[in-house]
Amino acid sequence: MNLHAARIHQHSPGFHMGTRFEGDRLRRFAAVRPHADRGAAALRADHPALQTGRTIFPSTVRTADDAGRIFVGGHNNPKLGARVQVGPWRGMPIYHLTLEERATCPRSCHEWATCYGNTMHLAKRWRVSRDLLTFMGDELLWLRGKHPHGFVIRLHTLGDFPSPRYVGWWSMALRLLPELHVFGYSAWPDGHPIQQMLERMNALFPQQSFIRFSRRQPSGQGFETTTIWRRAGAAKRVPEGMICPAQNGRTSCCATCGFCWHPALTQVPIVFMGHGRRSRGSGP
Ligand code: SF4
Ligand code: SF4
């Protein structure tokens, strides 16, 4: 990873934040409240975004040439939170990275048509390129200097790991930067080279890497999530696993929960309740 000092300097600590939630926070939160109508949340099968594999908000996709920080602070995302409050990563600040949904994802994703990105018209999505990886490396080095006791990156607010090379880049970063911790989800199916590399990354960095696999039904293999499209009320658990506590009001955000990356919970599937658009349509 090369340090591009000029670009880091450009990212003054007053920060230009890529994804703005202020002012729209309540409306956005309401827009993504869990609900049970998968049909209403799905794009029509003939929607171009489904056919070509892209976001329905193409004007939000940015290249690495664009000015702005790539990793955005969790304080800008009410679902994440600013700093971990519990568990082994307590005290670490949270950042997140947003890629383009569908363009970086397997077409086998069970939520291809109902992707939660369909509601995120404000999110700034980064196009993956060699330059983006270079700039991300710069920022990780800068974050290491800023947070010598560790920091967390959520991979990814939108999107997935687009290639084996991209997974290899993150493995290298975890090896070079013990301060770096990552958590997130991938829809790549069992046995795919990307899924296998992610499993190896979790195994190689058991304190730093917690990438869970999104499956239609939990299989008992560990590191799993699934999405249900039915009402679960205030239940802590359903047959598929443990409901994400931030979705049923038992905690406020990932920073106050930490289940997804707690080493004692890797065998417990996390269950997300479907959320997204409430009325079917062809989209933008
Ligand atoms: S993998 Fe995630 S981001 Fe990609 S299409 Fe599926 S739900 Fe959306
Ligand atoms: S289970 Fe906890 S850590 Fe995982 S997504 Fe939900 S709030 Fe975040």
Side-chain angles (χ1 to χ4, degrees), residues 2 46 71 134 144 171 177 216 220 232:
N2 299 317
D46 62 351
F71 301 118
T134 300
R144 175 177 67 170
S171 292
L177 304 174
R216 189 184 294 278

PDB file of all heavy atoms in Angstrom, residues 2 46 71 134 144 171 177 216 220 232:
ATOM      1  N   ASN A   2       0.654   2.117  -0.945  1.00  0.00           N
ATOM      2  CA  ASN A   2       1.411   3.360  -1.015  1.00  0.00           C
ATOM      3  C   ASN A   2       0.676   4.459  -0.288  1.00  0.00           C
ATOM      4  O   ASN A   2      -0.536   4.563  -0.350  1.00  0.00           O
ATOM      5  CB  ASN A   2       1.597   3.766  -2.474  1.00  0.00           C
ATOM      6  CG  ASN A   2       2.364   2.711  -3.230  1.00  0.00           C
ATOM      7  OD1 ASN A   2       3.342   2.188  -2.700  1.00  0.00           O
ATOM      8  ND2 ASN A   2       1.921   2.393  -4.425  1.00  0.00           N
ATOM      9  N   ASP A  46     -38.562  -7.175 -14.797  1.00  0.00           N
ATOM     10  CA  ASP A  46     -37.986  -6.605 -16.021  1.00  0.00           C
ATOM     11  C   ASP A  46     -37.281  -5.264 -15.763  1.00  0.00           C
ATOM     12  O   ASP A  46     -36.927  -4.558 -16.701  1.00  0.00           O
ATOM     13  CB  ASP A  46     -39.077  -6.428 -17.089  1.00  0.00           C
ATOM     14  CG  ASP A  46     -40.173  -5.452 -16.637  1.00  0.00           C
ATOM     15  OD1 ASP A  46     -40.170  -5.052 -15.448  1.00  0.00           O
ATOM     16  OD2 ASP A  46     -41.032  -5.100 -17.470  1.00  0.00           O
ATOM     17  N   PHE A  71     -13.872   5.804   3.393  1.00  0.00           N
ATOM     18  CA  PHE A  71     -14.449   5.192   4.591  1.00  0.00           C
ATOM     19  C   PHE A  71     -15.172   6.284   5.393  1.00  0.00           C
ATOM     20  O   PHE A  71     -14.561   7.269   5.801  1.00  0.00           O
ATOM     21  CB  PHE A  71     -13.363   4.550   5.451  1.00  0.00           C
ATOM     22  CG  PHE A  71     -12.598   3.478   4.723  1.00  0.00           C
ATOM     23  CD1 PHE A  71     -11.239   3.603   4.504  1.00  0.00           C
ATOM     24  CD2 PHE A  71     -13.238   2.335   4.261  1.00  0.00           C
ATOM     25  CE1 PHE A  71     -10.528   2.627   3.828  1.00  0.00           C
ATOM     26  CE2 PHE A  71     -12.543   1.349   3.580  1.00  0.00           C
ATOM     27  CZ  PHE A  71     -11.185   1.493   3.370  1.00  0.00           C
ATOM     28  N   THR A 134      -5.927   1.672  -4.076  1.00  0.00           N
ATOM     29  CA  THR A 134      -4.778   2.493  -3.656  1.00  0.00           C
ATOM     30  C   THR A 134      -5.221   3.548  -2.641  1.00  0.00           C
ATOM     31  O   THR A 134      -4.604   3.730  -1.591  1.00  0.00           O
ATOM     32  CB  THR A 134      -4.150   3.187  -4.880  1.00  0.00           C
ATOM     33  OG1 THR A 134      -3.718   2.183  -5.795  1.00  0.00           O
ATOM     34  CG2 THR A 134      -2.961   4.047  -4.480  1.00  0.00           C
ATOM     35  N   ARG A 144      -4.939   4.025  10.868  1.00  0.00           N
ATOM     36  CA  ARG A 144      -4.075   3.359  11.852  1.00  0.00           C
ATOM     37  C   ARG A 144      -3.357   4.382  12.716  1.00  0.00           C
ATOM     38  O   ARG A 144      -3.241   4.224  13.939  1.00  0.00           O
ATOM     39  CB  ARG A 144      -3.051   2.474  11.152  1.00  0.00           C
ATOM     40  CG  ARG A 144      -2.067   1.867  12.131  1.00  0.00           C
ATOM     41  CD  ARG A 144      -1.102   0.940  11.488  1.00  0.00           C
ATOM     42  NE  ARG A 144      -0.177   1.624  10.587  1.00  0.00           N
ATOM     43  CZ  ARG A 144       0.884   1.039  10.054  1.00  0.00           C
ATOM     44  NH1 ARG A 144       1.134  -0.229  10.316  1.00  0.00           N
ATOM     45  NH2 ARG A 144       1.681   1.696   9.247  1.00  0.00           N
ATOM     46  N   SER A 171      -7.365  -9.284   2.859  1.00  0.00           N
ATOM     47  CA  SER A 171      -6.546 -10.194   3.677  1.00  0.00           C
ATOM     48  C   SER A 171      -5.170  -9.593   3.910  1.00  0.00           C
ATOM     49  O   SER A 171      -4.618  -9.658   5.022  1.00  0.00           O
ATOM     50  CB  SER A 171      -6.407 -11.556   2.986  1.00  0.00           C
ATOM     51  OG  SER A 171      -7.645 -12.216   2.958  1.00  0.00           O
ATOM     52  N   LEU A 177      -2.009  -4.663   9.012  1.00  0.00           N
ATOM     53  CA  LEU A 177      -2.537  -3.682   9.971  1.00  0.00           C
ATOM     54  C   LEU A 177      -3.310  -4.409  11.077  1.00  0.00           C
ATOM     55  O   LEU A 177      -4.526  -4.606  10.973  1.00  0.00           O
ATOM     56  CB  LEU A 177      -3.462  -2.688   9.272  1.00  0.00           C
ATOM     57  CG  LEU A 177      -2.887  -1.912   8.078  1.00  0.00           C
ATOM     58  CD1 LEU A 177      -3.968  -1.077   7.418  1.00  0.00           C
ATOM     59  CD2 LEU A 177      -1.730  -1.036   8.526  1.00  0.00           C
ATOM     60  N   ARG A 216     -30.217 -18.614   2.416  1.00  0.00           N
ATOM     61  CA  ARG A 216     -31.686 -18.665   2.452  1.00  0.00           C
ATOM     62  C   ARG A 216     -32.147 -19.308   3.747  1.00  0.00           C
ATOM     63  O   ARG A 216     -33.085 -18.858   4.390  1.00  0.00           O
ATOM     64  CB  ARG A 216     -32.210 -19.459   1.256  1.00  0.00           C
ATOM     65  CG  ARG A 216     -33.718 -19.370   1.108  1.00  0.00           C
ATOM     66  CD  ARG A 216     -34.212 -20.244  -0.026  1.00  0.00           C
ATOM     67  NE  ARG A 216     -33.772 -19.802  -1.330  1.00  0.00           N
ATOM     68  CZ  ARG A 216     -34.359 -18.830  -2.039  1.00  0.00           C
ATOM     69  NH1 ARG A 216     -35.398 -18.203  -1.538  1.00  0.00           N
ATOM     70  NH2 ARG A 216     -33.912 -18.491  -3.228  1.00  0.00           N
ATOM     71  N   GLY A 220     -25.990 -24.323   9.730  1.00  0.00           N
ATOM     72  CA  GLY A 220     -25.247 -24.833  10.881  1.00  0.00           C
ATOM     73  C   GLY A 220     -23.741 -24.722  10.716  1.00  0.00           C
ATOM     74  O   GLY A 220     -22.994 -25.192  11.578  1.00  0.00           O
ATOM     75  N   ALA A 232     -42.027 -10.724  13.248  1.00  0.00           N
ATOM     76  CA  ALA A 232     -41.516 -11.504  14.377  1.00  0.00           C
ATOM     77  C   ALA A 232     -41.801 -10.808  15.700  1.00  0.00           C
ATOM     78  O   ALA A 232     -41.360 -11.272  16.758  1.00  0.00           O
ATOM     79  CB  ALA A 232     -40.015 -11.739  14.217  1.00  0.00           C
TER      80      ALA A 232
END
